[in-house]
Amino acid sequence: MYPLTPLLRMAFLFTALAVVVCILRIAREISTQTRTPAPAAQRPEADGSTPIVRIAVHRPDEPYDHEKHGL
């Protein structure tokens, strides 16, 4: 086998480093996509002291009532 010239050694070194960088970048992308999300903040329990606002929504199976929807 022929001995490697310094230029070929440099080319192989940069190629190997590029492959390692690509593998690490792909591994980081996979780990960020599969990371479990942080638990959501707990909602305070409704103890009845504060009223819960309900928004009137028009349902397609009932006639539209302007008084009910505030128009």
Side-chain angles (χ1 to χ4, degrees), residues 21-41:
V21 168
C22 288
I23 290 172
L24 290 176
R25 184 172 291 175
I26 290 170
R28 184 184 310 156
E29 284 293 322
I30 291 172
S31 70
T32 56
Q33 290 177 2
T34 59
R35 186 179 304 157
T36 56

Side-chain angles (χ1 to χ4, degrees), residues 43-62:
R43 294 176 133 183
E45 294 294 326
D47 59 356
S49 61
T50 56
I52 297 174
V53 177
R54 303 258 183 219
I55 298 174
V57 177
H58 172 67
R59 295 195 173 90
D61 59 337
E62 63 186 27

Side-chain angles (χ1 to χ4, degrees), residues 1-18:
M1 184 157 164
Y2 301 108
L4 295 177
T5 63
L7 185 60
L8 281 176
R9 285 183 192 164
M10 187 80 66
F12 283 132
L13 177 67
F14 282 123
T15 303
L17 287 175

